[in-house]
Amino acid sequence: DAAEFAVIRKPLLVNFPKESVDRLDKEAELGREVGEDDEAIAHRLHRKAQEIEEGSGKVVAESEATATLGMAQLRILQRAQFATCFWDQLDRPTKRHTHALNMEEGEVPVGHTFSNGQKCPGDEVGGAAENANCLCTLVGVKRKEGSGHLHQ
């Protein structure tokens, strides 16, 4: 499961390290062009690295955490023999309209593709725009008949 998840996520992450290195290289070159010494360039690079970490790096990390949690929730529901689930969105001022629409769909089959194209919170569909800072979850409703578990 972890290897399959890594294969799914890899194409979404391959450009981030290269783009980060390119940004750092460009920053070092700017420092050299204006005649800065090694210490000043090191400080310049440190500031740029913090900018990357607090900006796009944070979005990447949060998106990956959401994807990991969402895919784990989906697999847990499948393994626990749930037949249906619902998308639960935390009620907060910054909630996404698309996630509210997913929640409005109510009880759906596990593995269902919701109105925003995602099967679970963190699904790669929609990228960071759908995933960054998402606090949604999948909640199991009914188990499959004959699964050996109490239903609902």
Side-chain angles (χ1 to χ4, degrees):
D1 287 342
E4 180 183 325
F5 180 74
V7 167
I8 291 168
R9 302 306 299 173
K10 183 179 178 180
L12 305 171
L13 297 172
V14 293
N15 290 330
F16 176 70
K18 183 183 180 327
E19 290 169 0
S20 297
V21 168
D22 290 347
R23 289 174 67 187
L24 291 169
D25 286 345
K26 197 176 289 185
E27 195 67 23
E29 185 60 35
L30 286 172
R32 284 190 285 279
E33 286 175 7
V34 297
E36 292 179 346
D37 63 14
D38 288 346
E39 187 174 331
I41 291 173
H43 286 292
R44 176 186 283 269
L45 292 175
H46 178 74
R47 285 190 305 272
K48 181 57 74 174
Q50 282 183 313
E51 179 185 307
I52 292 168
E53 182 179 331
E54 293 167 6
S56 56
K58 184 177 179 185
V59 171
V60 168
E62 289 173 350
S63 296
E64 289 308 298
T66 300
T68 302
L69 179 59
M71 292 301 292
Q73 291 169 339
L74 180 58
R75 289 200 172 133
I76 287 168
L77 293 176
Q78 291 167 335
R79 286 185 177 161
Q81 299 293 307
F82 275 90
T84 63
C85 65
F86 71 92
W87 183 293
D88 192 18
Q89 181 186 40
L90 185 65
D91 189 20
R92 62 186 184 143
T94 58
K95 63 186 181 182
R96 288 177 176 84
H97 176 69
T98 55
H99 293 193
L101 293 175
N102 290 350
M103 188 170 166
E104 288 175 12
E105 290 184 41
E107 185 178 345
V108 297
V110 171
H112 167 79
T113 300
F114 288 89
S115 61
N116 70 345
Q118 295 182 313
K119 292 184 183 288
C120 62
D123 189 333
E124 72 259 29
V125 174
E130 284 290 335
N131 298 316
N133 297 316
C134 174
L135 298 176
C136 296
T137 188
L138 286 183
V139 178
V141 179
K142 293 180 185 166
R143 293 188 191 263
K144 294 177 181 176
E145 294 292 328
S147 67
H149 300 282
L150 294 175
H151 298 286
Q152 280 186 309

